[in-house]
Amino acid sequence: MSKIQILFLGAPGSGKGTQSEKITEEFHVVQISTGDMLREAVKNGTELGIIAKAFMDEGSLVTDDIIIKMMKERLQAIDCQKGFILDGFPRTVTQATALDTMLQTSLECCLTHVISLEVPDEPIIERLSGRRISPLTGKAYHVKFNPPAVNGMSEDGKTPLIHRDDDKSETIIKRLEVFHSQADMLKNYYKPSGKLHIVDGSKDPAAVYEDIRKILS
Ligand code: ADP
Ligand code: ADP
């Protein structure tokens, strides 16, 4: 199969990370999550992390210039040459335009699939408020839909799962508003390319993955 370079569009909690994990296992491509990169920078107290934290805590987008600079560096890394999944970037048309330039200059190529995972707001709120993250693997669990083997614990059975600060109620609503303010513009940006695929993300994770596999193969 030829190299895949996927972009996931979709609300926070639509299942981008969950589906990316399945794709990376089967297709051996790297997942690039701007949210994970930013959280790592916050954890390490870097200059980028200190600036980004204020935006993330209130559920707003980090400014385009910061994100574009971070992604320019990331896409130049050698592991991207085998193919990749972009999860959480671009989130604005300005970022999308910058991505096109980056792909043409550093990887001499373009996206192969743009997958929009669509889920209504109500289940999204339930997914985000019940999401718990393993600090060991970064994997997302859910208190009801995808509970860990040992209640509240990561894969080793003793390290507590994390409830992200921005997965708490007021910030969830704000993040959904921010998402809806950009979603149509982004989809319209990718429509003419013929690479945009709409996927019903409200099915169970295995069924969603089957739909994605059909698109990729
Ligand atoms: P995103 O990366 O888009 O923010 P995640 O993959 O982290 O979303 O999923 C958000 C939460 O919803 C997680 O707790 C995850 O376990 C759960 N989840 C993911 N996909 C589904 C699904 N199809 N049905 C129910 N819950 C799901
Ligand atoms: P989710 O898992 O809910 O989809 P992310 O982990 O992708 O959320 O993002 C968490 C936060 O990080 C966002 O609310 C935003 O503040 C910031 N962020 C992540 N990616 C971007 C981006 N491409 N542009 C601007 N801000 C971003």
Side-chain angles (χ1 to χ4, degrees), residues 26-27 60 67 88-89 96 100 127 137-138 146 151-152 159 167 174:
E26 181 170 349
F27 293 88
S60 316
I67 296 288
F89 171 86
D100 282 344
R127 285 187 190 186
T137 59
N146 183 23
N151 191 19
T159 308
D167 278 348
K174 165 78 181 182

Side-chain angles (χ1 to χ4, degrees), residues 63-76:
T63 54
D64 286 333
D65 53 339
I66 293 180
I67 296 288
I68 290 167
K69 181 167 178 283
M70 181 177 89
M71 283 303 289
K72 249 185 203 159
E73 284 167 20
R74 182 64 188 90
L75 283 170
Q76 278 167 9

